[in-house]
Amino acid sequence: MEAYNGFARVYDYLMRDVNYDKWADYIENIFKKFNLRPNTILELACGTGNITNRLALRGYEITGVDISSEMLTIARKKAMDLGINVAYINQDMRELDMHEKVDCVLCLCDGFNYILEERDLISIYEKVYSILNFGGIFIFDISSFYKISEILGNNTYAENFEDISYIWENYFDAEREVCEFDLTIFMRKGQLFERVQEFHEQRAYRIDVVIDLLKQVKFKDINVYNAFTFESPKFTDERINFVCIK
């Protein structure tokens, strides 16, 4: 859970091809599908605010929570540059402590894959349930079991750019159902390159396990989609989206 501290400085560069506007559009399409217009939103694992700030620009009162203070520093600067008011809180979502209820809770871009133990995941779900207003909506995604175990697992990726290079080595532990990511990044600093080493772990969750945990928390209206669509997911889909109503 300490990942993304050194990585924060290059995160946006390496994720520059991600279509965050599409992500924000999809969230609003979910609101329309369920005939909801949330006023207050809490985004868990918000990172550098790429989705948070976009939703703020669309008129939502939104708060972002992340465990990485370095990621939040970047998110706050982006919000300031955009002239928008977003509250960013440095907090481990396993210890989520919010004093006001909200209409919507989000957790996107693999946030829950970083929760390795089911007991911690169900504890977070309980906290989310308690801070949602009645009729509130909980939207989150996970990288699928297939993606983590088959596409990422036991593979190595590398790219070389003018100012940044990285080597990303993965190992999938089938017994734990956890993928270990060993990431080495080289960032240009003048005539030299600074080396940053990061170690991440992500749990590969099966859809039925996630649904069972949500039911234990009393979520009843649970919907599961292939991400960015409203179609039922297939095993080989790489991102799975969950929509739950309190």
Side-chain angles (χ1 to χ4, degrees), residues 1 14 21 24 71 90 111 115 122 131 151 185 218 226 229-231:
M1 293 298 294
L14 297 179
D21 290 318
M71 298 285 270
N90 185 201
I115 306 301
I122 197 169
I131 67 173
I151 296 178
I185 305 164
K218 299 180 183 177
N226 176 25
T229 76
F230 294 108
E231 300 173 358

Side-chain angles (χ1 to χ4, degrees), residues 7-93:
F7 193 35
R9 287 174 286 166
V10 296
Y11 179 81
D12 284 335
Y13 183 86
L14 297 179
M15 300 290 284
R16 67 196 182 282
D17 293 331
V18 174
N19 190 338
Y20 292 109
D21 290 318
K22 177 182 177 181
W23 223 310
D25 289 343
Y26 182 53
I27 291 165
E28 291 200 308
N29 287 336
I30 292 172
F31 294 160
K32 291 174 185 176
K33 180 176 177 63
F34 288 87
N35 297 313
L36 296 172
R37 173 63 189 190
N39 293 313
T40 53
I41 299 176
L42 172 67
E43 184 182 359
L44 304 177
C46 66
T48 61
N50 289 312
I51 296 174
T52 326
N53 289 337
R54 280 170 170 79
L55 291 175
L57 285 169
R58 298 185 187 201
Y60 299 96
E61 181 183 333
I62 188 165
T63 298
V65 171
D66 201 275
I67 195 172
S68 169
S69 59
E70 290 191 21
M71 298 285 270
L72 291 180
T73 296
I74 296 170
R76 291 188 186 103
K77 184 179 185 307
K78 289 179 184 176
M80 185 168 51
D81 290 344
L82 291 167
I84 53 178
N85 182 28
V86 179
Y88 283 108
I89 300 172
N90 185 201
Q91 197 173 91
D92 185 334
M93 62 181 165

Side-chain angles (χ1 to χ4, degrees), residues 120-139:
D120 288 334
L121 192 57
I122 197 169
S123 175
I124 296 169
Y125 291 167
E126 288 170 346
K127 290 177 171 65
V128 168
Y129 190 89
S130 69
I131 67 173
L132 271 176
N133 287 318
F134 182 76
I137 188 168
F138 178 29
I139 302 170

Side-chain angles (χ1 to χ4, degrees), residues 2-11 14 70 163-169 181-189 193-200:
E2 296 302 323
Y4 284 108
N5 282 328
F7 193 35
R9 287 174 286 166
V10 296
Y11 179 81
L14 297 179
E70 290 191 21
D163 295 320
I164 295 175
S165 300
Y166 72 85
I167 303 170
W168 179 9
E169 299 175 282
F181 306 142
D182 192 351
L183 186 61
T184 304
I185 305 164
F186 298 92
M187 297 180 288
R188 182 184 294 278
K189 293 190 72 174
F193 280 81
E194 176 187 1
R195 176 179 175 177
V196 174
Q197 195 80 26
E198 291 255 339
F199 180 75
H200 299 218

